Amino acid sequence: MKQLEFKIRTYGRMELAQTYFPDLLAISAWNKLKRWIENCPPLKERLTTLTDNPKARTYTPRQVEAIVEMLGEP
């Protein structure tokens, strides 16, 4: 079966996390993605510079692009 290509767009944080960890519950996937981001200081810093609201529950296309560049495609 052909795998779908990942699309860069706005994602909810749990929605994006579940693309990386589809076998986990949404909250577990989010916690795991959050740990991955926190363990990658360059990515964490880049995400901080790309947002004006650090408590946002969505990732902008630019933030998603940064995550994919650092962590790879889901």
Side-chain angles (χ1 to χ4, degrees), residues 43 47 74:
L43 175 56
L47 292 176

Side-chain angles (χ1 to χ4, degrees), residues 5-28:
E5 190 172 315
F6 181 74
K7 184 176 178 179
I8 301 293
R9 62 175 177 80
T10 298
Y11 282 89
R13 62 185 185 184
M14 287 191 184
E15 178 187 16
L16 181 62
Q18 285 192 295
T19 64
Y20 277 93
F21 311 105
D23 296 332
L24 298 180
L25 294 173
I27 190 67
S28 297

Side-chain angles (χ1 to χ4, degrees), residues 32-44:
K32 192 167 188 173
L33 180 59
K34 187 168 54 171
R35 279 193 309 268
W36 279 23
I37 291 169
E38 291 190 10
N39 286 327
C40 184
L43 175 56
K44 188 174 177 183

